[in-house]
Amino acid sequence: MAGQPAVISRVGIRTGLPKLIATDLDGTLVRSDETVSDFTHSVLDRVRAAGIPVVGATGRGPRLTELTRNDIRDADFLVMAGGGRVVDQRDVREPVVLRDARLSSADLTTALTLLEQAAEGALLVMVEASDAHDAPLWGDLDPHWKYDRIEQRTRPECLDRDVIKAFARAPHLDVDELLARAQRVIPASLASVTQAGLGYVEIAPPGVDKASGLAVVAAHLGVDPADVLVFGDMPNDLPMFRWAGWGRVAVTNAHPSVRAAADEITLRNDDDGVAVYLDRLLSH
């Protein structure tokens, strides 16, 4: 496995190494059976041994921090909630929160009103209100949601406080169509909108995405975006693809928009594509 090349390369082989590496988790680093291989962990160990900090950049909220640390145990930093929570965990005994953004109840109410009008139909909505370990989402019970627990709450109960982010699904629309409508009607000054492959549009605080979360890490370390290498698979990875300058690598199973934005395409997540690429990079 370690000797396999990337599938597609649109850039020449660079000299030197990046100064910061960030990877998405689900669909990119994590395999379909929800595991991360020993090979991947060993390659990430080598990345850190080479003096390159590793960032886990995920849409998962802080309530899933322990799961995230297990999946990318080599990470020096975590960019969670799609950029809303940034943690320096180089000292795991005393992790430091560098960013903790919240979406105001007023802004979320307005965003959902605009989106429901644009969707021309009712939405199923859930909010991530708590960062407590394994806390449930609140909102509409939706059999389509298969990832973790939902605690049923009314829309007014969901909108009575600031939240980490919200999820919205229109049963009558494909998620990419709903996202396109959301991006047309929800101003960036009101909220950030994206989708992460879960079948839902995700609504985050304005200015919050993986790029802005990575920018917090880069500024903390004094690293230029031109020296950052990123890996991803879904539209919520596109902001960091636009931001990172050393390289943007998609896995083969990535969303078409991410494949189109990539400099290179590596193997699928189920074939340890991130680790295969990094192993090749470190071996040059």
Side-chain angles (χ1 to χ4, degrees):
M1 183 187 305
Q4 296 181 56
V7 177
I8 299 173
S9 177
R10 300 194 181 102
V11 296
I13 295 176
R14 304 172 184 86
T15 58
L17 295 170
K19 295 181 180 177
L20 185 67
I21 291 173
T23 180
D24 171 58
L25 298 185
D26 299 302
T28 302
L29 192 78
V30 180
R31 300 182 295 193
S32 299
D33 64 0
E34 300 183 354
T35 65
V36 177
S37 71
D38 290 340
F39 172 64
T40 293
H41 285 304
S42 70
V43 171
L44 291 175
D45 280 339
R46 289 171 54 208
V47 169
R48 296 182 73 232
I52 306 171
V54 173
V55 184
T58 179
R60 299 177 187 177
R63 64 201 174 86
L64 301 176
T65 296
E66 294 309 312
L67 173 65
T68 301
R69 285 176 174 157
N70 180 67
D71 284 341
I72 187 164
R73 60 190 184 218
D74 312 282
D76 300 283
F77 294 84
L78 295 178
V79 171
M80 303 192 72
R85 172 70 67 91
V86 180
V87 182
D88 178 347
Q89 57 172 27
R90 288 174 293 179
D91 183 348
V92 294
R93 298 166 300 179
E94 295 186 25
V96 179
V97 176
L98 304 177
R99 185 192 214 183
D100 186 15
R102 291 290 189 277
L103 178 61
S104 75
S105 60
D107 286 349
L108 177 55
T109 299
T110 301
L112 288 174
T113 299
L114 293 171
L115 183 55
E116 208 140 35
Q117 291 170 350
E120 301 177 309
L123 299 174
L124 294 166
V125 175
M126 302 173 297
V127 299
E128 189 162 8
S130 173
D131 58 6
H133 176 64
D134 280 343
L137 298 177
W138 295 352
D140 298 318
L141 296 180
D142 184 358
H144 186 82
W145 181 264
K146 57 187 178 185
Y147 305 99
D148 52 8
R149 188 162 55 95
I150 302 171
E151 182 178 305
Q152 186 171 20
R153 299 223 180 178
T154 65
R155 186 74 61 86
E157 288 175 319
C158 292
L159 297 176
D160 72 352
R161 68 196 65 202
D162 298 349
V163 300
I164 297 164
K165 66 176 177 177
F167 301 81
R169 185 170 78 86
H172 59 290
L173 292 176
D174 174 80
V175 65
D176 283 330
E177 174 60 26
L178 183 61
L179 177 60
R181 297 187 188 194
Q183 291 172 333
R184 286 197 295 268
V185 301
I186 298 176
S189 58
L190 180 69
S192 297
V193 292
T194 189
Q195 72 102 343
L198 305 179
Y200 294 75
V201 164
E202 301 186 10
I203 306 171
V208 166
D209 55 32
K210 289 189 181 182
S212 66
L214 274 180
V216 171
V217 175
H220 191 65
L221 295 174
V223 172
D224 191 284
D227 294 317
V228 181
L229 167 64
V230 297
F231 297 86
D233 76 312
M234 278 292 158
N236 67 332
D237 296 315
L238 288 172
M240 69 177 183
F241 271 45
R242 291 189 288 266
W243 175 85
W246 198 93
R248 287 80 51 155
V249 182
V251 286
T252 299
N253 53 287
H255 189 279
S257 65
V258 179
R259 288 173 58 95
D263 300 313
E264 297 181 86
I265 298 175
T266 188
L267 303 178
R268 301 180 57 218
N269 64 323
D270 287 341
D271 296 322
D272 297 336
V274 172
V276 168
Y277 183 95
L278 290 173
D279 177 69
R280 183 189 66 165
L281 184 67
L282 293 171
S283 299
H284 279 154

